[in-house]
Amino acid sequence: MACSSKQFCSISTLSDHFQPHFLASKHQLIQPFPSNFAKRCSKLGGSAQRPLYISSSSSLQGFGYFDEPRDVKPREALGPCKAYEAQRVQPIQINIEFDDETRELAAQKLKIGVYFAMWWALNVVFNIYNKKVLNAFPFPWLTSTLSLAAGSLMMLVSWATRIAEAPKTDLNFWKALLPVAVAHTIGHVAATVSMSKVAVSFTHIIKSGEPAFSVLVSRFLLGETFPLPVYLSLLPIIGGCALAAVTELNFNLTGFMGAMISNLAFVFRNIFSKRGMKGKSVGGMNYYACLSMMSLLILTPFAIAVEGPQLWAAGWDKAVAQIGPNFIWWVAAQSVFYHLYNQVSYMSLNEISPLTFSIGNTMKRISVIVASIIIFQTPIQPVNALGAAIAIFGTFLYSQAKN
């Protein structure tokens, strides 16, 4: 009885303190919830078993403590209350604004990533179609000429239709471009001759030794000196290429020499390009277009003299008879993709540093080697794969030490 009396007193005190104006002054017993309250509440989307919380922006103004005076504030003075169900997620709006510099940096990184992806993909597609054409039509001089002709035609059409802005050149520009075009022509034909004789993977393994040629030519012909780590990085490049060449199952001397000559020619192309193109305001895309046109003029008479139209006609008829109309598509694809991948690589060089370009070039060779081995099912020994891995790793070390 004592316990119930105390409880009744506390309830009376609380009800007297918090009593809305529409309630009677007499105390009223609060009836329990009906038995079907949970069912009715579940139909309305609520839960009778979850607690209700009361929030107020005015920190529950008007609710005093028990020992405060018993004056109840009018309803208008009370802060707005909101009852919400527990475990209900309240959305929070977050506005994050980036400045112009951050947006430009993000756009630049996205642009470089797109360039790299296109560069590798186009290069892989070109090597696949180029090897298919050379297997059915073993005329590397004509194949190289068609590649340059397709790129030159594409750029002339782009300039004529104003898809791309034509470069502003003069006589001095073409004079400076001439040695670059000669080296580019030799390197392009030598690489195509190599791929006509050996597997694509073997050609690119040998071509991964291009940094060694670059250092040797710069050291003995130009008198440039390099730090010790650069010279040390040449050891795995030369050793890996030698190991891959010795263990190559389908080794061919012509194919090996073609890849080596291509390395040497492209080194001179880079040297001539750096010396002759300083101060020239021609972008990467237009620069390579002009390079292709001049290389086409240089290569065409040599291709006719070495192979000739009679051999081309006989070989073309034989290839179409064996392959069918798809052979024409192969020739067109390898010609177009050759120009596109080179054009994207020159466009990438305008946006990135030489170190990033060297790393990207190394990754490009890995993608070409792996893709060609899978598609053409090239037999490769573990020792040969080890040599390729050592050479490519040495190329990566060279790019790090050089820059």
Side-chain angles (χ1 to χ4, degrees), residues 1-234:
M1 291 300 293
C3 179
S4 61
S5 175
K6 292 181 181 180
Q7 291 177 354
F8 178 78
C9 292
S10 62
I11 294 175
S12 301
T13 305
L14 177 59
S15 62
D16 291 339
H17 182 74
F18 178 52
Q19 186 175 19
H21 66 280
F22 56 85
L23 292 178
S25 59
K26 294 182 179 181
H27 304 297
Q28 296 180 359
L29 295 178
I30 300 175
Q31 298 295 331
F33 291 111
S35 59
N36 59 349
F37 177 80
K39 296 181 180 180
R40 293 173 59 187
C41 197
S42 62
K43 292 181 180 180
L44 296 176
S47 177
Q49 298 178 354
R50 297 180 180 177
L52 293 179
Y53 298 91
I54 299 178
S55 63
S56 173
S57 59
S58 304
S59 302
L60 296 179
Q61 295 180 0
F63 289 86
Y65 295 96
F66 294 143
D67 56 352
E68 292 181 353
R70 297 185 178 182
D71 54 339
V72 181
K73 296 183 179 181
R75 177 174 294 273
E76 290 76 9
L78 295 177
C81 298
K82 296 180 180 180
Y84 60 93
E85 194 171 340
Q87 300 179 2
R88 179 174 295 178
V89 179
Q90 300 293 328
I92 301 176
Q93 296 182 356
I94 301 176
N95 296 326
I96 302 177
E97 296 182 358
F98 298 99
D99 55 5
D100 295 339
E101 184 178 356
T102 304
R103 285 196 293 266
E104 290 179 0
L105 182 60
Q108 182 72 10
K109 290 183 178 180
L110 178 61
K111 183 179 180 181
I112 295 174
V114 172
Y115 277 168
F116 268 55
M118 292 177 60
W119 179 19
W120 298 340
L122 293 171
N123 188 261
V124 169
V125 175
F126 158 71
N127 280 276
I128 292 172
Y129 280 109
N130 191 39
K131 185 59 178 177
K132 286 185 175 182
V133 171
L134 293 173
N135 287 338
F137 185 74
F139 296 96
W141 289 80
L142 177 59
T143 304
S144 302
T145 305
L146 293 176
S147 301
L148 296 174
S152 301
L153 180 61
M154 290 170 59
M155 291 308 301
L156 288 175
V157 172
S158 299
W159 292 340
T161 57
R162 299 185 180 275
I163 297 176
E165 184 179 357
K168 297 179 181 180
T169 60
D170 53 11
L171 184 59
N172 293 329
F173 171 83
W174 295 102
K175 286 181 179 180
L177 188 64
L178 179 60
V180 182
V182 172
H184 179 73
T185 304
I186 296 174
H188 177 41
V189 174
T192 309
V193 170
S194 175
M195 282 192 284
S196 67
K197 299 296 183 180
V198 296
V200 177
S201 57
F202 179 72
T203 299
H204 280 272
I205 291 172
I206 303 302
K207 283 178 66 64
S208 64
E210 183 178 331
F213 286 84
S214 179
V215 172
L216 296 177
V217 170
S218 300
R219 176 67 181 87
F220 293 105
L221 296 183
L222 303 179
E224 296 183 10
T225 57
F226 300 94
L228 181 60
V230 174
Y231 294 107
L232 294 178
S233 67
L234 301 182

Side-chain angles (χ1 to χ4, degrees), residues 349-367:
L349 192 57
N350 280 350
E351 304 291 338
I352 58 180
S353 64
L355 172 60
T356 306
F357 186 84
S358 299
I359 296 175
N361 198 34
T362 303
M363 299 302 295
K364 178 204 72 175
R365 297 206 185 281
I366 295 176
S367 61

